[in-house]
Amino acid sequence: MRNMALKLLLPAAVLAVLLWMQPPGEVRHHARLMIETASRAADGIHGGEATPAADKFDAAAVVLMDLSNGRIVQSVNPDTPLPPASMSKMMTEYLVLDAIKTGELQWGEKIKVSPYAAGVTGSKVSLQAGDMVSVRDLLAAVAVYSANDAAIVLAERLGGSEEKFASMMNDAAKELGLSRKSRFINATGLPRRDMGGKAPSSIKGEQTLTAADTGKLAARLITDHPEILQYTSKSQYRMEYKSMVLDNTNLMVRKEYRSSLHVQGMDGLKTGFTDEAGYCFTGTAVIDGKRYVSVIMGSSGSVKRFEETKKLLVNGRDGGNSASSVITLGL
């Protein structure tokens, strides 16, 4: 089995070397992150089943990616589709930052808050219907405070409706190479039942992501739009809107709040919670000069997801099971 895995991973490693031989500026300009799925095609190497490391983590699924050499060094149930809760907002952030890059949106543009956005349930910053809020404040509210109302305002601006924006999210998922097991039905990560009369009729089922797809989305977000880390690394953000001060839901960047959770180099990325999803967290940190992305899905407690992330980042970097896939830079 190990020999088969090596045969499947070798072409990806060769590709990575060839790509890095290109001029650095050109690679940075065109860089895209892809997870090569060759090893998944081999029976018995990676079938989405729990690895022997499963009992080490309080989580339904786990992934740790080392982006410096393109390997997944830890994985538990990486291909199992699970409710991601607000971690799905990373796709909302990705599309918003894409729109800013292309000029479709401006940081200072102010968007009117709809009654639907103002009335959404769950985590929010209590935007009032009819108020005008800047794109910068809205994106920061999503990235720092996981605000559902801010996510919907941005979605309605870009898609015309949240349902149309969800279709944009699914189109982007295909372009980014996420698996067919992952599906978006809204900009927030809320389950269908919490969307009231706004649940999409054109998209069936619930919001799902695999841990591998979540990690890949995070990798693309911070690689294609590294400016997101300017927000996710902050312990607090002060909005221009009503001078509201938002505490980061990621306790691992709030050393003053709970130093025991702190990991040096941690600068993101996205928390999530619903009853169905449990407590989730996608983290990213630069440790010993290497960029890592970690994913914890379905943990039992709000603090526990951060403790498991720290365990993964501090003790799991040497790998607890065979690498399941390779990330390479592609043009």
Side-chain angles (χ1 to χ4, degrees):
M1 184 181 297
R2 182 175 297 176
N3 289 338
M4 178 65 73
L6 289 173
K7 289 178 182 178
L8 290 165
L9 293 173
L10 183 58
V14 172
L15 176 60
V17 172
L18 291 174
L19 288 170
W20 280 111
M21 291 174 65
Q22 302 297 319
E26 182 178 342
V27 171
R28 284 194 297 269
H29 180 70
H30 296 287
R32 294 183 184 277
L33 280 165
M34 294 185 281
I35 294 183
E36 298 297 328
T37 57
S39 60
R40 297 182 187 177
D43 293 338
I45 295 177
H46 187 344
E49 298 177 357
T51 68
D55 60 349
K56 295 182 180 180
F57 300 99
D58 179 342
V62 171
V63 157
L64 179 64
M65 295 180 175
D66 179 350
L67 299 192
S68 71
N69 61 19
R71 301 190 74 85
I72 291 181
V73 294
Q74 285 270 12
S75 65
V76 177
N77 299 325
D79 296 327
T80 301
L82 296 167
S86 287
M87 293 195 303
S88 55
K89 289 188 177 88
M90 289 189 291
M91 183 64 85
T92 300
E93 295 166 350
Y94 190 94
L95 291 176
V96 169
L97 290 167
D98 258 3
I100 292 171
K101 181 178 287 187
T102 63
E104 184 179 353
L105 275 180
Q106 303 293 329
W107 285 108
E109 177 185 341
K110 294 197 173 183
I111 308 173
K112 188 175 182 179
V113 179
S114 71
Y116 167 56
V120 69
T121 189
S123 176
K124 56 184 180 180
V125 289
S126 299
L127 303 177
Q128 300 299 304
D131 283 356
M132 304 294 290
V133 187
S134 72
V135 168
R136 186 180 300 278
D137 269 359
L138 291 167
L139 183 63
V142 172
V144 175
Y145 200 69
S146 199
N148 292 335
D149 46 1
I152 292 174
V153 173
L154 290 165
E156 290 177 331
R157 164 63 179 82
L158 286 178
S161 69
E162 188 180 25
E163 181 167 353
K164 291 179 180 178
F165 184 77
S167 294
M168 293 169 59
M169 297 171 81
N170 286 315
D171 289 342
K174 293 177 184 177
E175 292 177 4
L176 296 177
L178 304 194
S179 74
R180 294 182 179 181
K181 295 179 180 180
S182 294
R183 177 197 307 116
F184 297 93
I185 68 169
N186 57 43
T188 61
L190 286 171
R192 183 176 289 270
R193 71 162 191 272
D194 288 341
M195 296 182 68
K198 293 291 186 177
S201 59
S202 62
I203 309 172
K204 306 303 180 184
E206 292 287 350
Q207 197 117 317
T208 58
L209 279 172
T210 68
D213 283 344
T214 303
K216 184 174 185 179
L217 173 58
R220 286 298 301 265
L221 175 62
I222 62 179
T223 301
D224 295 350
H225 301 294
E227 62 270 29
I228 191 66
L229 299 174
Q230 297 175 20
Y231 298 92
T232 61
S233 62
K234 295 179 181 294
S235 61
Q236 289 184 329
Y237 176 82
R238 180 180 291 276
M239 297 178 68
E240 178 186 77
Y241 178 76
K242 297 185 178 180
S243 297
M244 296 173 71
V245 176
L246 308 178
D247 290 327
N248 201 323
T249 58
N250 175 10
L251 301 185
M252 298 187 78
V253 299
R254 293 170 61 187
K255 186 176 181 180
E256 74 289 349
Y257 178 80
R258 187 167 297 199
S259 60
S260 63
L261 297 176
H262 182 66
V263 172
Q264 189 68 33
M266 169 69 68
D267 52 6
L269 188 59
K270 193 70 203 72
T271 57
F273 170 78
T274 63
D275 290 339
E276 293 81 2
Y279 293 91
C280 306
F281 179 56
T282 299
T284 186
V286 176
I287 303 174
D288 295 333
K290 297 180 180 181
R291 167 71 67 179
Y292 293 88
V293 168
S294 62
V295 179
I296 297 287
M297 300 185 76
S299 188
S300 64
S302 178
V303 173
K304 178 60 70 173
R305 59 184 161 181
F306 301 122
E307 292 174 342
E308 296 304 277
T309 297
K310 183 171 183 177
K311 182 195 304 183
L312 194 60
L313 288 169
V314 173
N315 300 321
R317 300 196 311 276
D318 291 334
N321 57 278
S322 297
S324 59
S325 57
V326 173
I327 302 171
T328 58
L329 281 172
L331 297 178

